[in-house]
Amino acid sequence: MNKLVLYVGNKNYSSWSLRPWLALEASGIAFEDVVIPFDFATGNPKLREISPTGRVPLLEHGDVKIWESLAIIEYVAELFPDAGLWPADQQDRARARSYACEMLSGFRALRSACPMNIRRQKQTLGVSGDVRADVARIETIWADALARSGGPFLFGSFTAADAMYAPVVNRFDVYNLVSDPTTLGYMERVKAHPASRKWEAAARAEPWIVAEEEV
């Protein structure tokens, strides 16, 4: 089989890169990790060389290129059906994909006001009602999933659903947006996962600073 090559942006900032990277890493799937930093005001021209959208993440598998986080996860889940990227139970899989799609298309107020920033010193940020509504909906998703599965992750074991919400864990943490014990406990477990720690270490070692992402 041709090797998988995952192109990602700055690990400190690129929330959409984190999602498929974490899903693959947590599942034990072998892949090469290539960082293309956002170090130009108008974007890095290298992105256009490898991606039809000029964006990352992008997965390269032989002659095949797959872009968009959820599409990458689904492609790899088909390649490795026993890797546990999605829950084994059919109804759980449907629910996990619903959660993932809600993350993909929603929570724009939260994403806009609170960019992912691994290195950001924790500090409370005043946010709008729309952001608070996004936070409340995500907390409801997490609480319902954890109540159904019993934890420690949304569907028991770590799956693509957890990976899709991992950047939110950082946002909730560094902008000090939540206080519910169930939410905080889940966040701690995601942050403690070996794959999360590996990404965080790499993010903290990066030299690049993108002013637009520093709230």
Side-chain angles (χ1 to χ4, degrees), residues 134-145:
D134 283 352
V135 170
R137 172 56 187 157
I138 293 168
E139 287 196 276
T140 297
I141 288 172
W142 291 358
D144 288 351

Side-chain angles (χ1 to χ4, degrees), residues 145-146 149-159 162 186 189-191 193:
L146 292 168
S149 70
F153 299 107
L154 297 180
F155 292 89
S157 61
F158 193 98
T159 69
D162 300 285
Y186 172 69
R189 293 190 293 276
V190 172
K191 290 191 294 181
H193 193 285

Side-chain angles (χ1 to χ4, degrees), residues 65-140:
K65 290 186 175 182
I66 307 96
W67 55 96
E68 300 295 343
S69 297
L70 190 54
I72 292 169
I73 290 171
E74 290 286 16
Y75 180 80
V76 176
E78 291 182 358
L79 286 180
F80 301 93
D82 297 325
L85 280 156
W86 294 110
D89 179 80
Q90 184 182 47
Q91 292 187 11
D92 284 346
R93 278 199 309 279
R95 191 175 296 110
R97 285 182 168 123
S98 295
Y99 292 158
C101 286
E102 191 171 351
M103 181 72 254
L104 184 71
S105 62
F107 311 121
R108 295 184 183 276
L110 173 65
R111 299 206 312 256
S112 176
C114 305
M116 188 180 86
N117 188 336
I118 301 294
R119 296 193 301 258
R120 187 180 196 270
Q121 184 175 357
K122 185 171 181 175
Q123 184 178 2
T124 301
L125 181 71
V127 294
S128 69
D130 287 342
V131 172
R132 286 291 173 193
D134 283 352
V135 170
R137 172 56 187 157
I138 293 168
E139 287 196 276
T140 297

Side-chain angles (χ1 to χ4, degrees), residues 9-14 35-44 115-120 175 203 206-215:
N10 304 49
K11 290 182 177 176
N12 188 55
Y13 304 112
S14 186
V35 176
I36 301 180
F38 311 140
D39 56 355
F40 293 81
T42 57
N44 191 325
M116 188 180 86
N117 188 336
I118 301 294
R119 296 193 301 258
R120 187 180 196 270
Y175 298 103
E206 287 180 342
W208 311 290
I209 295 176
V210 179
E212 293 83 356
E213 302 295 329
E214 295 289 334
V215 175

Side-chain angles (χ1 to χ4, degrees), residues 25-38:
E25 181 71 22
S27 300
I29 295 168
F31 66 100
E32 182 182 346
D33 169 6
V34 179
V35 176
I36 301 180
F38 311 140

